[in-house]
Amino acid sequence: MNFLNSTPLTVAPLFLTNRHGAETLLVVVKGTWRIGKDGSLSAAEEQVPIRLEPAYSGDPTESSLIHDTDVVLEKPGTDCILLGHAWAPKVGVGSVDVTFAVGPVRKTVRVFGERVWMKCLGMVSMSKPAPFEKIPLVYERAFGGADASWPDPNDHEFSLENPVGLGFLARKTRLVIDDARLPNLEDPANLIKKPTDRPRPAAFGPIPPHWHPRAGYAGTYDDQWRKYVSPLPPEDMDPRFHSCASPGLASARHLAGSEQVLVENASRTGRLLFQLPGVAPSVSVHIGAAAHGLAMLLDTVIVESDEGRLTLAWRGRLPVHGRLHEIGAVRVEMIEN
């Protein structure tokens, strides 16, 4: 198979099986741009590679996901991901609202400086947030975590949505509330008021496949599946399982690639405003004498605000069951939307 890439982007042709076991050609195209302070985009000299496996900040069982794998046949919409820090607009600020918007997708998270619970005369209150310069926008700073303080293991609990976070209390607990840390990241529409509150974690990064709500889309792995379907995925697997975006940051439909992007208070400059580059890859697969055009869908937008970097990923697939040896060439070009 000849592979012809006339673009500066990173491209990988991969052979996978679909949910029914049929051989499928997957073509992933990934482009990286530098974001100027004025909102201009320029192609990055170093293009981000195709990721064949997920990347975590540490042990996958104890840390958050930084980048998900690109080896996925389909996503139902476009994942929008923001990686970086919340930056205080001036000295002495103890909280700031960070907003991330890509076209119709929009999310705001309130970021607080360090706070603790205080207990006095039987009353519990939270300390005033400490001023900060920057705070990482990671799930380790959002509500969540685990509580195994009670002697009986049956009473141990953990957050299904964010097992690596802060502030989670089991219904039976021996944790000391006084001087316990509060999360730095919260949903401004559902702020924590008391230690027993259990709000949905608020962040902008990707969700690992074993966290909820993503894990809930994986399907049913029962005796029926083990006997008749394994190693293929279950019939009731929802395509949303392959979407790694934080709740509220996945578009219902694939974005066109020319939408406006807003990043507020997650950059040293305070605000980033720019448009997606308005380009897309054109991919054709030559099988015998026929050329097949792939529908390349933009399904991942990653903004790394600290680095001033934008990464887009497109994905296209073609059924080639029993015809792998007939593929003569895969050609990749760039077009404007």
Side-chain angles (χ1 to χ4, degrees):
M1 181 182 73
N2 292 322
F3 179 56
L4 308 171
N5 178 17
S6 63
T7 78
L9 310 186
T10 306
V11 185
L14 304 165
F15 293 102
L16 304 177
T17 56
N18 66 13
R19 62 191 306 161
H20 303 294
E23 295 162 333
T24 303
L25 170 64
L26 170 68
V27 178
V28 180
V29 179
K30 208 166 187 179
T32 309
W33 288 262
R34 306 300 304 181
I35 307 169
K37 293 182 179 180
D38 60 353
S40 61
L41 297 180
S42 58
E45 292 185 8
E46 182 178 352
Q47 292 287 307
V48 171
I50 305 296
R51 295 189 179 275
L52 302 181
E53 59 184 24
Y56 289 80
S57 59
D59 184 332
T61 64
E62 300 176 352
S63 65
S64 58
L65 179 65
I66 305 300
H67 294 287
D68 204 2
T69 177
D70 290 314
V71 186
V72 174
L73 274 180
E74 63 174 331
K75 294 184 181 182
T78 303
D79 288 340
C80 300
I81 295 166
L82 172 65
L83 304 174
H85 288 76
W87 289 82
K90 59 183 179 180
V91 176
V93 170
S95 68
V96 67
D97 281 2
V98 174
T99 297
F100 178 45
V102 184
V105 176
R106 187 182 186 93
K107 187 172 187 177
T108 297
V109 172
R110 186 157 298 165
V111 181
F112 295 94
E114 295 299 326
R115 302 171 296 165
V116 296
W117 289 112
M118 301 182 299
K119 196 171 184 179
C120 182
L121 300 177
M123 301 293 291
V124 177
S125 61
M126 62 180 70
S127 66
K128 184 179 178 180
F132 66 91
E133 179 188 11
K134 64 177 181 176
I135 290 177
L137 297 170
V138 294
Y139 274 95
E140 284 84 349
R141 297 298 189 102
F143 175 79
D147 183 352
S149 62
W150 200 257
D152 188 348
N154 292 323
D155 293 311
H156 297 174
E157 297 182 58
F158 64 94
S159 169
L160 295 174
E161 295 176 308
N162 179 18
V164 304
L166 292 169
F168 183 89
L169 289 180
R171 289 168 179 82
K172 292 184 178 181
T173 182
R174 288 190 172 179
L175 293 179
V176 177
I177 302 301
D178 195 26
D179 208 36
R181 288 178 62 195
L182 278 94
N184 300 98
L185 279 56
E186 291 195 55
D187 178 355
N190 190 21
L191 295 175
I192 294 172
K193 297 180 176 63
K194 55 185 184 298
T196 55
D197 285 345
R198 292 187 176 188
R200 170 174 282 185
F204 301 98
I207 299 290
H210 56 286
W211 291 14
H212 281 253
R214 189 176 173 186
Y217 302 129
T220 305
Y221 295 83
D222 55 10
D223 290 339
Q224 176 83 5
W225 171 80
R226 280 187 287 270
K227 186 174 181 179
Y228 297 106
V229 182
S230 176
L232 299 176
E235 289 295 327
D236 62 346
M237 172 183 275
D238 190 316
R240 286 178 291 179
F241 174 72
H242 300 302
S243 176
C244 67
S246 177
L249 288 179
S251 65
R253 299 180 180 178
H254 293 93
L255 300 181
S258 56
E259 290 81 3
Q260 189 175 74
V261 179
L262 169 67
V263 179
E264 193 88 54
N265 294 321
S267 168
R268 289 181 178 87
T269 60
R271 192 172 194 254
L272 289 175
L273 185 65
F274 60 94
Q275 276 191 301
L276 296 182
V279 296
S282 173
V283 177
S284 59
V285 180
H286 298 260
I287 302 178
H292 303 267
L294 269 61
M296 299 299 295
L297 300 175
L298 173 62
D299 63 22
T300 310
V301 175
I302 302 174
V303 176
E304 296 172 89
S305 54
D306 289 350
E307 290 79 10
R309 183 164 60 191
L310 168 70
T311 302
L312 306 181
W314 294 264
R315 195 176 317 275
R317 64 187 191 275
L318 181 70
V320 292
H321 193 68
R323 306 177 67 189
L324 296 180
H325 65 285
E326 299 178 29
I327 300 176
V330 175
R331 185 183 299 272
V332 183
E333 300 172 317
M334 186 68 78
I335 59 174
E336 293 188 6
N337 285 344

